[in-house]
């Protein structure tokens, strides 16, 4: 579904991603783990069209089989193609209500029925959001804001859902709740690219995993393999 | 609190709106019969400045783009409207420096059509400025619009066959009664309130507050900004046309940067991003600017005669503006809006609080 070949990201003189190559198959959960500053967000943001200085080849195969080269296209085109990003730090709109946030997430669509179906789907995944539908986003707790960010990213009805550190700053109990929902979304047939610092939780649910170190992909394998890998154990799972 | 409050009691609120509009109408009717021309002019000016403030607030407060070009768009509107409603005889008599462009003599339109044309042409120019400048991101808009506004003024001064150059246009047939200005104000308020309550209003806020979030939702932030700016320029053109029609004389010097500056004061004092604030700001700033005129007149204290200092009221006003920024940054209304609901719950709180003590 997504082929990334020799992706390079430069910010002025900073070479944030170096010749990274990855492959994502339809229906998988793929995770990209690595330390802070390794280049995970830069990679995922390049796919979403948010990084101007990205070079390389990123090829996306849409549901109808059409192959599209992504780099250089604006973010709204990616959303239309079925790629959606829940950005790092949630970035929900604090002044708008939960429901208004969700409606904005469907900005690229005009099928009213589909939009309300996806809104109900989001509320079914996160019943707490439904209780707070008329509450301002800024008044939600951190965990609820993260749920809103995920539900909002689903409102464009993506084939490929990209999540940038959905567990950041969440209490452990909420982390497992959010990861359970990610699994659930995947079971419904959606492909997921999950960027995480919380390697243990991410590897447990991932079909495939990549390790990014200072801009280079240094390891790849199935989630289960990497969980057993001594290097990963030492560096990311605390020995 | 940028969103408009939800309507919890629509029947009561609609009734209140009708009552308030009737009260305003009664006041205007009374004012027309009892107040002198100078006061009526100030009441008119309050409505027109509110329209202009609202249109600049759409650009700066609601869409977050710092623009210094409103005087230029007002000038376009004022000239378009005046040229459409001046009679052919007036036009041929007025151009003395250069003869008037022949095609211009014959064009004529009713006042309301001229207002629409004023808004549309200002919007067209706004769009043409926004297209290239907003490509560079919002940071260059301030300086680009400032330059545009000056260019428009210089063009108007020099395009004598069309604008009558520095002499300006005089004897513009007056249509700006209190009913006209307040009718336009109510229409403008209704349009902007509807817009900001709609999903597009939320899109504009999203682009202003979090560009990355807006982009990940598939919003084209560039075209949203271009659209918001163009709509604001439409309002600037209509407001400029009303202003020119109220004064019945326009010339290039009316549209200097100080004009934009007064509008900025209105929205900063009233509240950036607040519709209500644009009106409140206009009432305060318009009356203050008039009232402060006395400081520019000569004063006699005993045998000491102090000559008036031109421009002094702007100095005093700047000091007041700085005070607002220091003590109430967000302006009087902040980003919040008036609503009947809020008024009633405030009143309930006050009366209940009073009863308890
Ligand atoms: N917008 C930016 N401008 C300049 N440098 C950036 C920018 N975004 C990220 N970087 C740098 O690129 C490197 C990778 O950052 P990032 O992709 O955010 O890593 P991660 O998500 O893995 O923590 C870091 O050194 C970071 O400082
Ligand atoms: Mg990151």
């Amino acid at each position: 579904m997504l082929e990334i070949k020799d992706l390079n990201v430069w910010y002025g003189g900073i070479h944030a991603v170096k010749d990274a190559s990855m492959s994502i198959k339809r229906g998988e959960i793929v995770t990209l783990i690595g330390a802070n500053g390794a280049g995970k967000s830069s990679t995922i943001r390049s796919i979403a069209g948010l990084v101007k200085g990205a070079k390389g080849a990123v090829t996306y195969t849409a549901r109808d089989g059409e192959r599209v080269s992504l780099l250089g296209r604006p973010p709204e085109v990616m959303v239309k193609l079925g790629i959606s990003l829940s950005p790092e730090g949630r970035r929900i709109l604090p002044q708008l209500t939960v429901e208004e946030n969700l409606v904005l997430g469907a900005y690229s669509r005009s099928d009213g029925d589909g939009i309300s179906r996806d809104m109900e789907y989001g509320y079914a995944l996160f019943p707490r959001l439904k209780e707070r539908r008329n509450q301002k986003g800024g008044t939600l707790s951190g965990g609820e804001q993260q749920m809103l960010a995920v539900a909002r990213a689903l409102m464009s009805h993506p084939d490929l859902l990209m999540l940038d550190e959905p567990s950041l700053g969440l209490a452990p109990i909420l982390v497992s709740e959010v990861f359970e929902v990610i699994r659930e979304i995947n079971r419904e047939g959606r492909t997921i690219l999950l960027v995480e610092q919380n390697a243990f939780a991410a590897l447990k649910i991932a079909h495939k995993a990549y390790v990014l170190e200072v801009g280079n992909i240094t390891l790849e394998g199935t989630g289960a393999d990497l969980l057993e890998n001594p290097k990963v154990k030492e560096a990311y799972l605390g020995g | 609190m940028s969103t408009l409050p939800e309507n919890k009691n629509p029947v009561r609120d609609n009734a209140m709106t009708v009552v308030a509009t009737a009260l305003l109408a009664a006041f205007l009717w009374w004012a027309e019969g009892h107040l002198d021309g100078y006061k009526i002019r100030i009441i008119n000016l309050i409505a027109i400045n509110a329209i202009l403030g609202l249109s600049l607030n759409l650009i700066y407060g609601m869409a977050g783009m710092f623009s210094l070009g409103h005087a230029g768009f007002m000038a376009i509107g004022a000239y378009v409207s005046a040229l459409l409603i001046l009679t052919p005889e007036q036009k041929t008599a007025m151009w003395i420096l250069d003869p008037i462009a022949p095609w211009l003599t014959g064009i004529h339109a009713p006042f309301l059509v001229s207002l629409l044309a004023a808004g549309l042409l200002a919007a067209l120019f706004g769009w043409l400025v926004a297209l290239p400048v907003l490509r560079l991101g919002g940071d260059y808009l301030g300086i680009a619009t400032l330059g545009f506004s000056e260019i428009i003024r210089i063009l108007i001064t020099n395009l004598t066959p069309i604008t009558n150059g520095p002499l300006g246009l005089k004897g513009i047939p007056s249509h700006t009664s209190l009913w006209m200005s307040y009718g336009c104000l109510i229409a403008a308020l209704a349009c902007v309130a509807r817009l900001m309550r709609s999903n597009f209003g939320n899109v504009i806020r999203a682009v202003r507050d979090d560009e990355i979030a807006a982009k990940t939702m598939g919003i084209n932030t560039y075209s949203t900004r271009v659209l918001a700016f163009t709509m604001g320029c439409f309002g600037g053109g209509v407001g400029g046309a009303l202003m020119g029609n109220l004064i019945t004389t326009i010339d290039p010097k009316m549209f200097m940067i100080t004009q934009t500056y007064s509008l900025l004061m209105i929205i900063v004092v009233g509240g950036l991003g607040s519709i209500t604030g644009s009106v409140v700001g206009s009432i305060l700033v318009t009356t203050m600017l008039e009232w402060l005129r006395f400081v520019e007149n000569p004063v006699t204290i005993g045998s000491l005669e102090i000559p008036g200092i031109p421009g002094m009221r702007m100095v005093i006003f700047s000091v007041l503006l700085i005070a607002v920024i220091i003590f109430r940054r967000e302006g009087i209304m902040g980003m919040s809006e008036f609503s009947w609901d809020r008024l009633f719950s405030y009143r309930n709180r006050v009366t209940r609080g009073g009863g308890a003590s």
Side-chain angles (χ1 to χ4, degrees):
Chain A
M1 162 180 242
L2 192 72
E3 277 308 322
I4 301 168
K5 214 162 151 20
D6 299 332
L7 179 71
N8 282 278
V9 176
W10 291 86
Y11 300 105
I14 302 171
H15 198 180
V17 180
K18 301 164 190 158
D19 289 326
S21 297
M22 294 170 63
S23 156
I24 299 171
K25 290 203 185 66
R26 194 170 286 279
E28 282 183 341
I29 298 178
V30 175
T31 185
L32 182 60
I33 58 175
N36 202 0
K40 306 182 298 295
S41 295
S42 302
T43 306
I44 205 168
R45 286 162 53 107
S46 307
I47 303 170
L50 294 169
V51 180
K52 287 222 162 69
K55 298 267 172 305
V58 178
T59 316
Y60 175 74
T61 313
R63 202 185 322 206
D64 57 11
E66 193 196 344
R67 290 167 62 85
V68 193
S69 168
L70 292 187
L71 290 189
R73 288 176 198 271
E76 64 269 18
V77 170
M78 313 301 190
V79 176
K80 288 242 185 227
L81 282 169
I83 302 173
S84 184
L85 168 67
S86 163
E88 184 172 350
R90 301 161 197 148
R91 290 186 177 270
I92 57 137
L93 295 162
Q95 326 266 17
L96 303 188
T97 65
V98 167
E99 193 132 318
E100 285 170 330
N101 267 281
L102 292 178
V103 170
L104 271 190
Y107 179 79
S108 57
R109 309 166 68 178
S110 47
D111 55 326
D113 290 350
I115 293 175
S116 24
R117 251 199 318 278
D118 278 333
M119 190 174 294
E120 284 314 313
Y121 176 58
Y123 285 148
L125 289 174
F126 303 109
R128 239 176 301 177
L129 291 183
K130 185 162 191 169
E131 290 162 24
R132 291 163 174 69
R133 63 204 297 170
N134 293 321
Q135 210 169 305
K136 292 243 159 41
T139 66
L140 300 180
S141 72
E144 289 158 356
Q145 291 192 4
Q146 185 58 58
M147 295 172 191
L148 178 55
V150 174
R152 186 179 68 183
L154 284 169
M155 287 304 292
S156 63
H157 205 80
D159 290 327
L160 174 62
L161 175 65
M162 305 194 291
L163 304 166
D164 196 345
E165 304 220 24
S167 75
L168 195 71
L170 297 193
I173 176 128
L174 278 174
V175 174
S176 48
E177 188 178 331
V178 167
F179 273 70
E180 194 38 58
V181 171
I182 294 172
R183 240 173 157 153
E184 168 73 27
I185 297 167
N186 171 251
R187 265 190 238 114
E188 305 263 326
R190 264 181 259 233
T191 314
I192 287 169
L193 174 54
L194 174 65
V195 160
E196 264 299 338
Q197 274 193 67
N198 188 337
F200 186 66
L203 290 175
K204 269 207 307 199
I205 66 166
H207 301 107
K208 180 132 199 237
Y210 293 86
V211 178
L212 199 55
E213 279 175 41
V214 281
N216 295 292
I217 292 203
T218 50
L219 277 173
E220 60 176 277
T222 65
D225 281 351
L226 289 197
L227 267 178
E228 296 303 317
N229 184 300
K231 268 201 238 154
V232 174
K233 271 189 173 161
E234 196 195 315
Y236 302 105
L237 304 176
Chain B
M1 291 279 299
S2 63
T3 33
L4 290 163
E6 223 171 284
N7 205 339
K8 284 185 194 129
N9 195 339
V11 178
R12 180 199 68 194
D13 292 359
N14 287 340
M16 289 306 293
T17 306
V18 170
V19 170
T21 315
L23 282 177
L24 175 67
F27 169 72
L28 295 181
W29 178 77
W30 174 83
E32 235 179 7
H34 291 79
L35 295 181
D36 61 42
Y38 174 69
K39 291 204 181 83
I40 287 187
R41 184 155 147 159
I42 292 175
I43 298 173
N44 264 312
L45 209 52
I46 287 174
I48 297 170
N49 275 336
I51 294 172
L52 288 164
L54 194 61
S55 65
L56 185 60
N57 217 339
L58 183 64
I59 296 173
Y60 183 25
M62 290 153 198
M65 298 177 282
F66 187 56
S67 166
L68 289 170
H70 237 54
F73 299 107
M74 285 174 65
I76 294 171
Y79 273 86
V80 167
S81 166
L83 287 170
L84 283 173
I85 60 173
L86 282 168
T87 62
E89 300 75 54
Q90 279 179 301
K91 287 183 196 166
T92 27
M94 212 176 328
W95 267 252
I96 14 185
L97 296 176
D98 263 329
I100 184 170
W103 56 270
L104 200 57
T105 326
I107 347 184
H108 191 81
F111 181 60
L112 283 178
V113 176
S114 84
L115 281 187
L116 188 67
L120 287 176
L121 210 73
L124 174 69
F125 274 88
W127 186 67
L128 290 174
V129 171
L131 278 183
V133 175
L134 289 176
R135 273 262 174 253
L136 310 172
D139 303 343
Y140 301 90
L141 192 68
I143 194 75
T145 46
L146 178 63
F148 167 81
S149 176
E150 282 301 290
I151 290 170
I152 286 293
R153 210 165 55 79
I154 292 165
L155 277 179
I156 289 177
T157 315
N158 291 293
L159 275 180
T160 319
I162 297 174
T163 60
N164 203 21
L167 296 182
L169 305 178
K170 295 185 180 63
I172 303 167
S174 174
H175 297 272
T176 313
S177 62
L178 287 174
W179 303 107
M180 178 59 76
S181 3
Y182 280 82
C184 288
L185 174 59
I186 287 173
L189 287 171
C191 287
V192 178
R194 242 191 113 90
L195 179 81
M196 293 314 287
R197 236 186 269 257
S198 72
N199 190 44
F200 186 68
N202 289 339
V203 170
I204 291 179
R205 292 186 188 99
V207 171
R208 174 192 67 195
D209 292 341
D210 195 334
E211 173 143 32
I212 295 194
K215 283 182 171 169
T216 62
M217 293 185 280
I219 294 169
N220 185 330
T221 54
Y222 166 71
S223 49
T224 305
R225 287 205 175 96
V226 171
L227 188 57
F229 185 78
T230 308
M231 289 191 293
C233 292
F234 181 91
V238 173
L242 286 168
M243 176 93 81
N245 195 271
L246 177 71
I247 303 174
T248 68
T249 303
I250 54 177
D251 66 58
K253 284 201 294 297
M254 244 177 89
F255 302 102
M256 295 206 286
I257 177 72
T258 45
Q259 178 63 59
T260 302
Y261 184 55
S262 309
L263 297 179
L264 277 174
M265 289 200 279
I266 288 176
I267 61 176
V268 169
V269 167
L272 282 178
S274 167
I275 298 172
T276 319
S278 313
V279 179
V280 174
S282 170
I283 296 172
L284 288 176
V285 173
T286 311
T287 43
M288 279 291 246
L289 278 178
E290 282 307 320
W291 181 68
L292 282 174
R293 272 186 203 284
F294 82 89
V295 301
E296 294 184 10
N297 297 336
V299 198
T300 325
I301 306 171
S303 60
L304 187 69
E305 198 162 309
I306 307 164
I309 309 160
M312 194 57 199
R313 66 188 177 125
M314 287 318 252
V315 174
I316 294 181
F317 213 94
S318 307
V319 173
L320 291 177
L321 185 67
I322 291 167
V324 169
I325 291 170
I326 291 173
F327 294 110
R328 199 166 161 89
R329 265 213 106 101
E330 70 280 16
I332 287 164
M333 292 300 295
M335 270 199 193
S336 54
E337 298 292 356
F338 168 83
S339 77
W340 295 115
D341 213 61
R342 200 172 273 190
L343 183 72
F344 278 99
S345 55
Y346 177 74
R347 203 200 55 180
N348 287 348
R349 264 207 312 279
V350 170
T351 46
R352 224 178 290 140
S357 61

